[in-house]
Amino acid sequence: MKITIVAGARPNFIKIAPIIRAIEARASSGAKIGYRLVHTGQHYDKNLSDTFFTELNIPQPHANLEVKSGSQAAQTAAIMVAFENDLEAHPADLVLVVGDVNSTMACAIVAKKMNVAVAHVEAGIRSGDMTMPEEINRIVTDSITDHFFTTSVTASQNLLAHGADKDHVHFVGNVMIDTLLYNQSRFCKPAFFDEQSLEIRNYIVLTLHRPSNVDDPLNLKKLIAGIDSLANGRKVIFPVHPRTRSMLSGLDIVTENIYYCEPMGYLEFMYLIGGSFAVITDSGGLSEETTVLGIPCFTMRDTTERPETQEIGTNTLVGTSIENLERLFTEFLQKPRRTAGIPNLWDGKASERIVDILLRK
């Protein structure tokens, strides 16, 4: 079986690493399986892409399509054109896509139009928010997918409710957690940790990049000022996404507790998350990692496609207003931490299950 694996953005790299490791392990045991790795270039900042290949021991991609940024339509179209050329030159039995970025949808469409089977890892998750580009990517990808690999029973139920063949829907667990558990002993302290006199369980990590939070300058300024205030003397470590940095550059914001830094590699960032008091974020994936690490997470969004992180894990859905965050964070400080657990099959073996299923097809 010849598999083309597609990666385009930071979350994709984290998800493909254990899948590649599982494929290589089965191939070394005599299974007839191999892969070709295609990096679309959707994320091209070194701290958002190249670093992850090195840290997670991902082989250099067989091809980098070097698409880079653009509008939603322009980027998607460029990925489709470039990937069609690559797939024509290097035929595959299966194209495997992960997550919900533009590369996921674009390459799935190309594969199906070329009559190549598509496997979607992290299929079936839904936020219900059609203003999110990722939601559209998920729906389109899942509408043409052949093999669905889900992170939760809820995701599987979403697919079945919309007509997916139950024999093609596989609840396998979470490949992002495969990477987390595999690398946990390798997490390393960022250089600024001691310079900033950070103490374990006495600092907050902040990440913001979604349009609803960062595109309105006045709202962004209000959010940053409010988070600086609620920190109440705790340091807030803010690795600034390139999108957010461009919005902050024109704002005159004075803060006492926030330390701004560049995006970090995976091993340093997860060390930072694992030692934190709490995380404030608008990322969906980070709520999965904090759930497994047992770190309270406050998600600055109105909806989540990962309800299990609320129901079982440590995630609190806040909305996008600083007033909601202040209220919920104050309640958190005043109450004992609620009991949380780890969702079923988030055990570090999801990638092995995926490869075993593909080999049976």
Side-chain angles (χ1 to χ4, degrees), residues 336-358:
R337 292 193 182 192
R338 65 186 178 94
T339 301
I342 298 174
N344 189 28
L345 296 189
W346 290 22
D347 58 2
K349 299 179 181 178
S351 298
E352 297 170 22
R353 297 184 189 104
I354 290 169
V355 174
D356 284 345
I357 291 167
L358 289 176

Side-chain angles (χ1 to χ4, degrees), residues 152-174:
S152 67
V153 172
T154 299
S156 295
Q157 290 171 340
N158 289 339
L159 293 166
L160 295 174
H162 285 85
D165 185 335
K166 64 181 178 58
D167 292 332
H168 294 170
V169 177
H170 308 283
F171 170 36
V172 294
N174 193 329

Side-chain angles (χ1 to χ4, degrees), residues 73-136:
Q75 187 180 69
T76 301
I79 293 168
M80 290 180 71
V81 170
F83 185 63
E84 182 180 56
N85 291 334
D86 187 85
L87 196 55
E88 283 180 343
H90 304 279
D93 300 310
L94 175 81
V95 169
L96 186 147
V97 296
V98 297
D100 51 24
V101 299
N102 288 342
S103 298
T104 306
M105 178 184 71
C107 294
I109 292 172
V110 168
K112 286 301 291 183
K113 288 198 171 189
M114 295 177 67
N115 296 315
V116 179
V118 173
H120 184 199
V121 175
E122 203 179 71
I125 64 173
R126 298 288 185 271
S127 69
D129 182 358
M130 291 298 287
T131 67
M132 292 177 62
E134 296 93 335
E135 185 76 352
I136 297 167

Side-chain angles (χ1 to χ4, degrees), residues 20 40 42 65 69 79 106 126 134 183 217 248 260 285 291 298 309:
I20 288 174
T40 67
Q42 181 176 332
L65 306 184
S69 61
I79 293 168
R126 298 288 185 271
E134 296 93 335
N183 290 284
L248 285 171
Y260 302 87
T291 283
F298 297 83
T309 64

Side-chain angles (χ1 to χ4, degrees), residues 54 140 157 160 179 256 292 296 308 311 314 324 332:
T54 302
V140 172
Q157 290 171 340
L160 295 174
T179 293
E256 295 181 0
V292 171
E308 62 274 16
E311 298 159 1
T314 60
N324 276 353
F332 159 68

